[in-house]
Amino acid sequence: MTVSKVVRNCADVGAETRSRVLARIKELNYQPNWVARSLAARRTFMIGVIVPDLMHSFFAEIAKGISTSIRPLGYDVVICNSEEDSAVESSEIDRLLGRQVDGLILASAQPPSATEAFDRIEARGVPYVLIDRRFPDRAASYVGADDQAIGMLATNHLIERGCRRIAHIAGPEPNPGSGRLKGYRAALAAAGLSVPESYIVPATDDASGYEATRRLLSLKPLPDAIFGYNDPTAAGAMKAILEAGIRIPEEIKVIGAGNVHYSDLLRVPLSTVDQASTRIGQQAADILVKAIGAKRKKPASTLLIEPTLVARESTAAR
């Protein structure tokens, strides 16, 4: 049992004992039999994580938060990329269930009315936690940023900088794009501002954000600020603005959301809203581990993490 506790990095083993066990493990080149452990515990000690885009640093940071929380508890993490495709996600869910994972964490790409994928998880009795994308009709735990608060925080920052013609590059519905759009509209309404519907254009990444901004730059009057629903769309917006010979932030201010790792390295450092992505992963992992260890099914919980503003050069006062 002492060796087992050392292998699992349990805290209730003394330093001297731990050192002796580790030395003996090294001497014997001992490797734990994880299959035997799984059979004895009736668990695989594997967690499945499915995200839509591992190339997006937001989801990479979430995965990092999950891993750093789960690994010390003796779990392995299997990370899958759904490529924002509901069919691929559904296939990955079946694959992970087939591998007998103890639980799942999902940033789901399923349509709002989808139920089959979640029904299959629940039919197997596997606990799961939703992150980033909410499905209010499902009785599942959820961890994510408060998207409406993100929209309000970003838009209010632009208003406080003196902007009055604020355009929005809107993300896909239902979420998080819809929540940020609601926050954008609410902030404008609270300030007594209105903009034409043509100031709201859809996009998902830097390439589509670039094209969306080119359309915005053809409008009269020209927007004096752009709020991209995420940092990649805002980065695409800045590329289009600078190519057009328009100065940032003197003529148009730009803000994104996500605080991705390159935001402060752009030609004009990008103001953004930090979603605490690593913390989202850590909290989701904590909820899932408790659900796995519970003797009875725990009621679903919702944890909304408040965003914080990160002001940089792209919205500086001039």
Side-chain angles (χ1 to χ4, degrees):
M1 182 175 290
T2 301
V3 173
S4 175
K5 286 185 175 183
V6 171
V7 170
R8 289 182 288 122
N9 199 31
C10 294
D12 59 343
V13 179
E16 182 180 349
T17 300
R18 184 184 301 276
S19 178
R20 289 169 56 204
V21 170
L22 290 174
R24 190 64 171 157
I25 284 174
K26 184 176 180 181
E27 179 183 343
L28 296 174
N29 194 27
Y30 169 74
Q31 295 294 326
N33 188 328
W34 297 109
V35 174
R37 179 192 177 200
S38 297
L39 290 172
R42 295 185 179 181
R43 294 185 191 174
T44 60
F45 294 92
M46 286 197 303
I47 300 298
V49 178
I50 303 178
V51 297
D53 184 5
L54 269 174
M55 294 300 291
H56 193 317
S57 66
F58 171 69
F59 293 111
E61 288 293 328
I62 287 179
K64 178 181 177 182
I66 294 169
S67 182
T68 54
S69 294
I70 290 284
R71 191 184 301 114
L73 302 178
Y75 287 90
D76 290 323
V77 181
V78 181
I79 302 176
C80 303
N81 187 359
S82 71
E83 301 175 9
E84 202 71 73
D85 186 316
S86 60
V88 172
E89 178 189 304
S90 184
S91 175
E92 294 289 6
I93 287 172
D94 290 339
R95 187 168 68 90
L96 290 168
L97 291 176
R99 295 183 68 175
Q100 305 291 317
V101 294
D102 295 331
L104 290 167
I105 297 175
L106 305 168
S108 182
Q110 298 296 321
S113 59
T115 61
E116 291 184 5
F118 301 134
D119 289 343
R120 294 200 303 277
I121 299 172
E122 292 170 8
R124 295 283 291 271
V126 175
Y128 67 101
V129 178
L130 298 172
I131 56 173
D132 190 52
R133 288 102 184 270
R134 302 183 70 178
F135 290 78
D137 295 336
R138 304 303 303 190
S141 292
Y142 171 80
V143 181
D146 186 332
D147 289 307
Q148 187 162 341
I150 287 173
M152 293 188 68
L153 189 61
T155 307
N156 280 328
H157 175 64
L158 295 171
I159 293 170
E160 290 166 2
R161 286 289 194 257
C163 302
R164 294 297 178 265
R165 302 185 305 278
I166 303 171
H168 178 45
I169 301 176
E173 294 189 0
N175 53 72
S178 58
R180 296 176 192 184
L181 177 59
K182 286 180 183 177
Y184 161 79
R185 292 187 186 278
L188 290 178
L193 299 175
S194 62
V195 297
E197 283 299 309
S198 58
Y199 272 41
I200 302 172
V201 291
T204 57
D205 54 18
D206 53 352
S208 55
Y210 172 83
E211 294 299 335
T213 303
R214 291 187 64 181
R215 294 197 297 275
L216 290 172
L217 297 180
S218 69
L219 299 177
K220 301 297 182 185
L222 194 69
D224 59 7
I226 296 176
F227 161 38
Y229 104 99
N230 64 11
D231 283 351
T233 57
M238 290 205 297
K239 179 182 177 183
I241 292 167
L242 294 171
E243 279 187 2
I246 299 171
R247 296 172 299 162
I248 303 172
E250 291 85 354
E251 297 174 88
I252 298 181
K253 301 185 191 304
V254 182
I255 190 169
N259 197 20
V260 300
H261 70 278
Y262 60 76
S263 297
D264 59 341
L265 302 176
L266 296 169
R267 178 175 166 186
V268 180
L270 176 65
S271 292
T272 186
V273 179
D274 193 303
Q275 299 172 239
S277 51
T278 301
R279 186 181 167 203
I280 290 174
Q282 292 169 338
Q283 294 290 342
D286 181 61
I287 291 172
L288 185 63
V289 169
K290 288 178 180 177
I292 291 170
K295 294 182 178 180
R296 295 181 181 178
K297 184 177 180 180
K298 287 181 170 289
S301 59
T302 296
L303 177 60
L304 294 180
I305 297 175
E306 284 298 309
T308 55
L309 179 71
V310 181
R312 297 192 179 105
E313 185 67 18
S314 68
T315 59
R318 287 290 185 270

